[in-house]
Amino acid sequence: MRRKRVELSAKVLVTFAALLTSIIVFGIFYFLISDGVRVFGRVSPKDFLFSARWYPTYEDAEFGILALLAGTLSVTGLTLVIAIPLGFVCAIFLAEFSGRKSHDAIKYIFELMAGIPSVVLGSFGLKYVSRWLMEHFPLHVWTGLNVMNASLMLSILAMPYFVTLVEDALRAVPRDQKEASLALGANMTGTIFRILLPQARSGILNAIILGTNRVIGETMVVLMVAGGATMVPSTIFDPVRPLTSAIAGEMGEVELGSTHYFALFMIGVVLLAISTVFTLIAMKLKRSKGK
């Protein structure tokens, strides 16, 4: 009898926690969207989404986020190009080739990387990486604060997510499948790419989803080293102003209830939509590949 009461109490507690979490999440969505959509009473959706002119403090203010969106996508895309291949290589090495001591040492390094505050990475990029870029790419760089700088710093931030989650996915594949492949004469490289990676694709996709959402939502690094220029980049050495840096840099000084105020909330909605759409696409791909 007592055991049933304990189980009932645990069930009620878990249900309550799940409902409370859902209410909080939907409350955040409602809060963002209800304030964000009010900008369309003063700015047309077409101008807001497809104009590259973001001049919220001008006398004739303009609120086009296309340049901000291009900055976010360019920084995120280059970060993934850098971080995902490196993360895969490191994860495969840790899961299949490293010895005990080397595995522990490399894992310790990635754990330290995961604990680095983003403001510290931003400071490093601001002082050292920007100078390095200007010294080594003088024909292409007119400011060291640009897409490349931000992407390099974000890659350091995202690598621990990719490496840890991909390694966990590879280790979750049953060992007998690997051993069967090797016993049939396949080499280690073929076993990894034909057996382990296909079997671990669900976990790998999850790693990419979580890492990408982490990069898209990062604020301090891009605020410090992306350059802050409201322009559509033509090269990876152009300065940009991603969506998150616009919110962080302007929200503290904006007038409450102004068009600028509502536009910043709508930028938050756009970020939320990007993250949600990417997650839904990845989940669909995962399900379709699992059939």
Side-chain angles (χ1 to χ4, degrees), residues 250-273:
E250 300 172 21
M251 184 61 80
E253 301 177 358
V254 69
E255 179 185 353
L256 295 178
S258 65
T259 304
H260 188 189
Y261 177 82
F262 295 132
L264 292 176
F265 274 96
M266 195 61 206
I267 288 177
V269 175
V270 171
L271 280 169
L272 181 63

Side-chain angles (χ1 to χ4, degrees), residues 280 282-291:
L280 291 174
M283 290 173 64
K284 184 176 178 63
L285 288 173
K286 185 167 63 174
R287 284 196 297 266
S288 64
K289 289 182 179 181
K291 294 179 179 179

Side-chain angles (χ1 to χ4, degrees), residues 90-108 167 171 178 188:
C90 291
I92 291 172
F93 175 78
L94 288 174
E96 301 299 332
F97 295 103
S98 63
R100 177 70 179 273
K101 291 184 178 180
S102 61
H103 177 274
D104 291 344
I106 295 172
K107 285 288 287 186
Y108 181 71
E167 184 196 0
R171 289 188 179 276
K178 171 187 171 182
M188 193 61 187

Side-chain angles (χ1 to χ4, degrees), residues 51-74:
S51 171
R53 298 178 65 82
W54 177 262
Y55 303 120
T57 59
Y58 282 24
E59 184 176 351
D60 295 325
E62 297 183 75
F63 299 94
I65 67 166
L66 183 60
L68 305 179
L69 182 61
T72 293
L73 296 179
S74 60

Side-chain angles (χ1 to χ4, degrees), residues 90-260:
C90 291
I92 291 172
F93 175 78
L94 288 174
E96 301 299 332
F97 295 103
S98 63
R100 177 70 179 273
K101 291 184 178 180
S102 61
H103 177 274
D104 291 344
I106 295 172
K107 285 288 287 186
Y108 181 71
I109 292 172
F110 281 115
E111 288 172 0
L112 287 178
M113 289 173 59
I116 299 175
S118 58
V119 68
V120 174
L121 283 175
S123 300
F124 180 80
L126 189 66
K127 183 174 182 180
Y128 296 105
V129 179
S130 61
R131 183 190 306 168
W132 181 83
L133 288 173
M134 294 188 72
E135 289 175 353
H136 289 79
F137 301 94
L139 299 179
H140 304 283
V141 176
W142 53 279
T143 173
L145 307 179
N146 50 41
V147 174
M148 174 60 80
N149 193 338
S151 298
L152 290 173
M153 295 301 97
L154 287 175
S155 297
I156 296 174
L157 201 67
M159 277 283 287
Y161 290 87
F162 290 125
V163 172
T164 300
L165 294 173
V166 173
E167 184 196 0
D168 290 343
L170 290 172
R171 289 188 179 276
V173 177
R175 292 290 94 183
D176 57 355
Q177 296 190 23
K178 171 187 171 182
E179 293 169 359
S181 175
L182 294 174
L184 290 172
N187 57 27
M188 193 61 187
T189 301
T191 299
I192 289 172
F193 286 97
R194 295 184 180 182
I195 303 298
L196 297 184
L197 290 181
Q199 291 294 321
R201 60 176 173 262
S202 177
I204 292 171
L205 281 173
N206 284 334
I208 294 173
I209 292 169
L210 293 174
T212 302
N213 286 341
R214 177 72 177 88
V215 171
I216 291 174
E218 173 55 37
T219 302
M220 187 54 66
V221 169
V222 294
L223 181 63
M224 296 178 70
V225 301
T230 307
M231 58 181 286
V232 177
S234 56
T235 73
I236 60 175
F237 298 110
D238 285 342
V240 293
R241 187 176 181 84
L243 296 168
T244 51
S245 62
I247 297 174
E250 300 172 21
M251 184 61 80
E253 301 177 358
V254 69
E255 179 185 353
L256 295 178
S258 65
T259 304
H260 188 189

